[in-house]
Amino acid sequence: GSCLESVKIAIDAGYRHIDGAFVYYNEHEVGQAIREKIAEGRIKREDIFYCGKLWNTCHPPELVRPTLEKTLKILQLDYVDLYIIELPMAFKPGDAIYPKDENGKIIYHETDLCATWEAMEACKDAGLAKSIGVSNFNRRQLEMILNKPGLKYKPVSNQVECHPYFTQPKLLEFCRQHDIVIVGYSPLGTSRDETWVNVSSPPLLKDPVLNAIGKKYNKTAAQVALRFSIQRGVVVIPKSFNPQRIRENFQIFDFSLTEKEMEEIKGLNKNVRYVELLM
């Protein structure tokens, strides 16, 4: 229920881009929140930009469309605005989200990313997704798609970890050259959950530089980190279930960082990932 309420609060605060995934197990709540806000007359469906994701067990081309259709059924929506390949690797298809062998090791599956991409293109042609993109792809994997013979649609976006401690300058430049938008996840660093986060990295929001700049503008370190990303042309998807923080994260359009401050924040880059995707 907390997801349902958070999405409604976010829509009321002005958010229109909602980043979801089948594997988050909450698309039914997100869909309900969107539908309730449409019923209230607060928004129209076309105001919302919903991103869904193709999970690793669904890479075989014949599974792509049925997987998206399942997502749409859960959301009770006719289309998603963006559908992305969540990771450039495949797990063994089947009911298990994380298929494992008797030793607890993930069972991978050999797949052809280009064939998966063609199935994604077919979803766009069928009107089930307005746009298609990727996530966690490096330059080599992007080039594999971009150089694919008979490419119909190139990825519109690449969702990757991106924040002042992990600025991704080379990938950002490559994507810019190819008109691929970088969508930065964990733009505020992450929770300190040891099951999936590298907690040896210092918490981003305690950074003295971000806090000092924040003081100057009467903003939080989080607001400065988000402003930094959007001024670089990176789309941000901050995650929160806290109503006050949801609203705060949106209040970044009433100030600008100077070039000097931007350079100072760029200098914080440590090339460290919080989300190491060890699987």
Side-chain angles (χ1 to χ4, degrees):
S2 61
C3 175
L4 172 70
E5 281 314 305
S6 297
V7 174
K8 292 195 321 196
I9 288 162
I11 289 171
D12 285 342
Y15 289 86
R16 295 296 177 261
H17 177 181
I18 300 169
D19 180 71
F22 169 71
V23 82
Y24 299 164
Y25 304 114
N26 59 12
E27 285 191 311
H28 57 293
E29 290 185 51
V30 177
Q32 188 185 334
I34 293 169
R35 291 193 313 279
E36 283 183 20
K37 285 294 163 190
I38 291 171
E40 279 174 29
R42 181 91 197 176
I43 50 165
K44 297 188 185 82
R45 167 64 186 96
E46 55 270 27
D47 296 333
I48 291 291
F49 186 90
Y50 185 82
C51 170
K53 303 187 183 84
L54 180 78
W55 182 239
N56 312 358
T57 52
C58 309
H59 280 209
E62 67 278 8
L63 296 181
V64 174
R65 180 167 176 162
T67 304
L68 174 51
E69 285 171 340
K70 192 173 174 184
T71 279
L72 292 172
K73 199 175 168 187
I74 294 168
L75 288 163
Q76 291 182 43
L77 297 175
D78 297 329
Y79 66 89
V80 294
D81 299 271
L82 176 62
Y83 197 52
I84 63 179
I85 300 174
E86 191 157 353
L87 280 157
M89 62 177 79
F91 295 168
K92 181 189 167 195
D95 293 331
I97 296 289
Y98 292 96
K100 290 180 177 168
D101 64 17
E102 60 279 6
N103 303 312
K105 293 264 191 290
I106 292 272
I107 306 170
Y108 296 98
H109 184 72
E110 197 163 307
T111 187
D112 174 0
L113 273 178
C114 290
T116 305
W117 186 253
E118 283 171 12
M120 296 280 284
E121 290 178 326
C123 288
K124 176 171 157 61
D125 282 337
L128 302 177
K130 298 271 185 195
S131 294
I132 51 176
V134 297
S135 179
N136 297 302
F137 274 50
N138 61 27
R139 177 179 175 151
R140 184 178 59 82
Q141 291 150 344
L142 284 169
E143 282 177 337
M144 209 154 82
I145 305 272
L146 292 170
N147 299 331
K148 186 185 87 64
L151 180 71
K152 204 167 184 183
Y153 307 113
K154 65 182 186 183
V156 298
S157 60
N158 184 18
Q159 188 180 123
V160 294
E161 181 174 343
C162 193
H163 47 72
Y165 283 178
F166 194 53
T167 52
Q168 300 261 32
K170 285 183 181 167
L171 188 62
L172 186 58
E173 187 47 43
F174 176 78
C175 286
R176 254 194 208 124
Q177 287 165 6
H178 293 274
D179 286 329
I180 297 170
V181 176
I182 287 272
V183 177
Y185 66 73
S186 301
L188 304 175
T190 55
S191 68
R192 311 300 281 171
D193 181 342
E194 291 182 7
T195 58
W196 60 279
V197 171
N198 169 10
V199 289
S200 67
S201 303
L204 178 69
L205 300 184
K206 296 238 168 88
D207 189 273
V209 171
L210 296 178
N211 281 283
I213 293 172
K215 217 171 218 167
K216 174 185 162 187
Y217 293 104
N218 201 17
K219 292 288 179 185
T220 64
Q223 288 167 322
V224 172
L226 293 174
R227 181 73 212 181
F228 166 73
S229 287
I230 65 163
Q231 276 188 221
R232 297 175 77 215
V234 172
V235 173
V236 286
I237 42 174
K239 180 179 94 173
S240 180
F241 288 103
N242 176 316
Q244 187 195 338
R245 291 207 191 113
I246 289 171
R247 293 184 191 104
E248 256 178 24
N249 290 342
F250 197 80
Q251 290 156 4
I252 58 170
F253 302 102
D254 55 355
F255 78 110
S256 274
L257 300 168
T258 64
E259 265 179 58
K260 183 173 174 284
E261 287 160 347
M262 288 293 289
E263 288 307 313
E264 216 178 328
I265 298 170
K266 271 183 204 164
L268 300 176
N269 183 37
K270 303 177 191 305
N271 270 328
V272 293
R273 292 176 191 270
Y274 285 106
V275 186
E276 292 182 310
L277 300 168
L278 297 175
M279 79 286 198

